[in-house]
Amino acid sequence: SLCPLPQLLPIDPYPLLTPAQQRALDKLEVLTRVAPIIALGAEAGMGRGTILRTFARRHGGRIITIEEIVQAVTLADPRLADSFGSEYAEQLLAEHDLLVIENVFDLSKGNSAVRGDPNQGIGSAMYKNLYDTIKRSGKRIVVGSGAGVTASRGISGVDIEAFQVGDYVAIARNLLG
């Protein structure tokens, strides 16, 4: 007869943050008091989405995936995509005080408004319209981006620091219980 399998711990949908992730979240908390648009930058696999979802849960924010934006824009007349981006944001901002967009970096192919000049790159007019809409609304938006976030045009940035030993210990605890 087979020996019984060990009882597996249920996976916590909201894992504990690593120390580096917690520091980034703390910086987001401070910046949201003074900046309408904040970018959270990180290399792939560092928990950017986890931090953004945690932040949204704490503040009752609406999480938007880049796929959702692309789908909404492509369902509209493609010639109106840039203006539709701001209309879509206005609609969401009417319902929510905080928007959290999981990954702006993918849509822009490396040239998003949070990474430099908003007048260049794919979708740049949509980013400019989105930025202007957020500024007018008096509400907040937090966006995920690639590492090396730079502040520009009133956009504040936070990067997740490189992981240290304590971060890997926290990851192991999340995975192994």
Side-chain angles (χ1 to χ4, degrees):
S1 122
L2 296 173
C3 61
L5 291 173
Q7 179 72 28
L8 294 178
L9 297 173
I11 296 176
D12 184 353
Y14 310 118
L16 296 175
L17 298 179
T18 71
Q21 292 168 338
Q22 185 62 54
R23 285 189 295 276
L25 179 64
D26 293 344
K27 289 176 187 175
L28 283 178
E29 297 283 353
V30 170
L31 283 175
T32 8
R33 295 183 200 124
V34 296
I37 302 177
I38 301 123
L40 174 65
E43 297 290 340
M46 292 189 71
R48 177 180 49 231
T50 300
I51 295 169
L52 292 172
R53 287 185 297 277
T54 299
F55 187 81
R57 270 194 321 279
R58 282 188 181 177
H59 296 281
R62 166 72 155 76
I63 297 175
I64 306 163
T65 64
I66 203 62
E67 294 81 13
E68 180 180 343
I69 293 173
V70 169
Q71 182 179 14
V73 169
T74 55
L75 290 176
D77 184 339
R79 295 169 295 180
L80 305 174
D82 291 336
S83 63
F84 181 76
S86 60
E87 290 172 18
Y88 186 59
E90 285 174 5
Q91 175 188 342
L92 292 172
L93 288 167
E95 302 167 14
H96 307 279
D97 290 335
L98 171 67
L99 300 181
V100 177
I101 303 179
E102 284 208 32
N103 201 347
V104 170
F105 188 72
D106 284 348
L107 179 65
S108 67
K109 306 268 191 223
N111 290 319
S112 77
V114 297
R115 304 249 331 151
D117 182 359
N119 297 316
Q120 60 177 300
I122 297 170
S124 61
M126 186 168 66
Y127 283 115
K128 183 180 181 322
N129 289 339
L130 180 61
Y131 172 83
D132 292 342
T133 300
I134 296 293
K135 288 289 277 190
R136 280 192 310 275
S137 75
K139 296 187 180 183
R140 302 283 187 259
I141 185 170
V142 177
V143 298
S145 183
V149 171
T150 57
S152 66
R153 285 184 43 92
I155 300 170
S156 298
V158 173
D159 272 322
I160 301 173
E161 302 165 6
F163 283 176
Q164 304 295 319
V165 172
D167 296 292
Y168 294 109
V169 169
I171 291 168
R173 284 192 183 130
N174 280 335
L175 294 173
L176 303 174

